[in-house]
Amino acid sequence: MPETAAPANFQAELVACLGQPVAENPTGAMQEAAFHALGLHWRYLTIEVPPARLREAILGVRAFGMRGINLTIPHKVAVIEYLDEIAPDAAVIGAVNTVRRDGDRLIGENTDGKGFLRGVRVDAGVDPRGKRAIVLGAGGAARAIVTELVLAGVADLLVVNRSIVRGETMVAELAAKTKMAIRFQPWRGVYRVPADAEILVNATSIGLYPDVDAMPPVDLGAASPNLLVSDAVFNPPETRLLADARRRGLPVLDGLSMLVYQGVIGFQLWTGLNPPEDVMKQALGRALGVG
Ligand code: NDP
């Protein structure tokens, strides 16, 4: 009997990140490392799409039968009108960073806040339920983090933001959608973190490369020794805020954790499999030159 080889399959399953600019987005490095580690014939493409071409790009996603996409700046809100369904938490957040395909339907999800929460639970070992949390910022990352903190059952949530209009608008919207009283305080001068705070999140872009010497104007002098200080900024992973917290002996959580876990959750949504998280973390570290 002649041996019969399995039929060759040169057709990869496709996922992609759409954004503008997008060239420096490192997500592809960690997703492709995970595909490779599990022997999956999948590819992750990093594609620049200008806002005026987003509708056509999503038609392309459908035509190519792509298994999913990530959206980054400036498409996270604009993409919603081209999708078939939005997951409940993504609808509260009002933005989509991940799309998965279910049959012919494209479903919008948001894994940013979920990735943050998973880092809080797994890497920092903190259960947010019943905790008092403070979020600095009111942009896209803050919206996702605030929403997931509320859904995770925090007892008290304070948003501190420089722009009063932006901060108040976000808090009013999210409070109405989640039915939780979220407090807001304008950020004026140095914000003194109160002694009863248990989780502090920098969800502003202060400290983001190349502005690595910038430090959010906060004073940790009165903080409880158990305050978890976390940063959404992942480049550099050791921000000035985290370095200050570490010097004071406070527990810290860096933005790489959030970035890896949002990717882990995306991988699970697309493939239905659990990716090797250490492989993804190492690949991301190498891609950012910190591994
Ligand atoms: P946005 O541009 O939507 O929001 C920026 C926020 O930062 C606003 O609240 C803004 O305040 C505040 N801010 C910026 N500069 C200053 C300043 N000098 N003083 C006070 N406040 C300031 O950004 P995103 O929410 O999309 O991203 C925020 C950070 O989160 C970025 O560093 C991004 O890289 C990171 N991120 C990390 C992820 C991860 O997986 N680790 C995922 C997503 C984002 P104001 O309203 O007053 O302008």
Side-chain angles (χ1 to χ4, degrees):
M1 285 278 283
E3 273 187 39
T4 50
N9 178 6
F10 297 107
Q11 181 194 344
E13 301 296 333
L14 298 179
V15 284
C17 180
L18 312 184
Q20 186 183 51
V22 79
E24 289 182 10
N25 191 302
T27 305
M30 71 172 168
Q31 296 293 3
E32 292 230 319
F35 294 150
H36 184 74
L38 291 192
L40 296 178
H41 192 16
W42 285 50
R43 294 300 314 273
Y44 187 104
L45 309 173
T46 300
I47 306 174
E48 180 156 313
V49 176
R53 311 296 300 261
L54 182 62
R55 192 185 73 85
E56 292 167 82
I58 301 300
L59 288 175
V61 168
R62 293 181 192 274
F64 292 169
M66 294 178 75
R67 301 295 289 263
I69 46 172
N70 284 135
L71 285 310
T72 186
I73 290 171
H75 302 317
K76 289 185 180 185
V77 176
V79 74
I80 290 175
E81 66 173 298
Y82 306 122
L83 303 177
D84 301 301
E85 187 182 326
I86 307 295
D89 60 340
V92 172
I93 295 164
V96 161
N97 78 329
T98 301
V99 171
R100 66 184 169 89
R101 211 181 75 201
D102 181 8
D104 287 336
R105 295 167 56 74
L106 294 182
I107 300 168
E109 304 267 355
N110 196 311
T111 64
D112 279 339
K114 288 197 189 90
F116 169 74
L117 264 240
R118 187 147 165 182
V120 169
R121 292 195 175 106
V122 176
D123 290 355
V126 170
D127 180 358
R129 180 165 297 280
K131 298 279 189 307
R132 302 178 70 82
I134 299 172
V135 175
L136 307 172
R143 289 185 83 92
I145 289 169
V146 166
T147 300
E148 299 297 346
L149 282 171
V150 171
L151 296 178
V154 289
D156 184 70
L157 191 44
L158 171 68
V159 170
V160 179
N161 196 55
R162 177 183 59 179
S163 155
I164 295 179
V165 172
R166 200 171 183 194
E168 282 185 344
T169 306
M170 181 188 86
V171 164
E173 267 178 44
L174 295 185
K177 287 180 180 171
T178 62
K179 313 261 184 290
M180 169 163 173
I182 304 169
R183 297 185 295 127
F184 173 69
Q185 182 172 326
W187 200 343
R188 294 287 170 261
V190 176
Y191 174 68
R192 194 168 169 76
V193 178
D196 62 358
E198 294 167 288
I199 299 173
L200 175 72
V201 190
N202 174 36
T204 75
S205 44
I206 303 172
L208 180 64
Y209 179 87
D211 215 0
V212 298
D213 288 329
M215 161 90 179
V218 294
D219 177 0
L220 297 174
S224 122
N226 295 326
L227 173 71
L228 173 65
V229 179
S230 59
D231 209 323
V233 171
F234 60 82
N235 187 14
E238 180 82 347
T239 57
R240 274 195 60 195
L241 174 66
L242 294 191
D244 183 28
R246 216 185 280 279
R247 265 194 307 276
R248 295 171 187 273
L250 302 175
V252 299
L253 179 68
D254 68 30
L256 277 184
S257 158
M258 175 174 170
L259 187 61
V260 169
Y261 287 128
Q262 64 80 27
V264 165
I265 297 165
F267 188 103
Q268 290 167 331
L269 290 170
W270 297 326
T271 66
L273 300 171
N274 290 322
E277 295 177 4
D278 52 336
V279 168
M280 292 178 78
K281 201 164 210 163
Q282 283 160 17
L284 190 63
R286 275 196 304 276
L288 292 170
V290 296

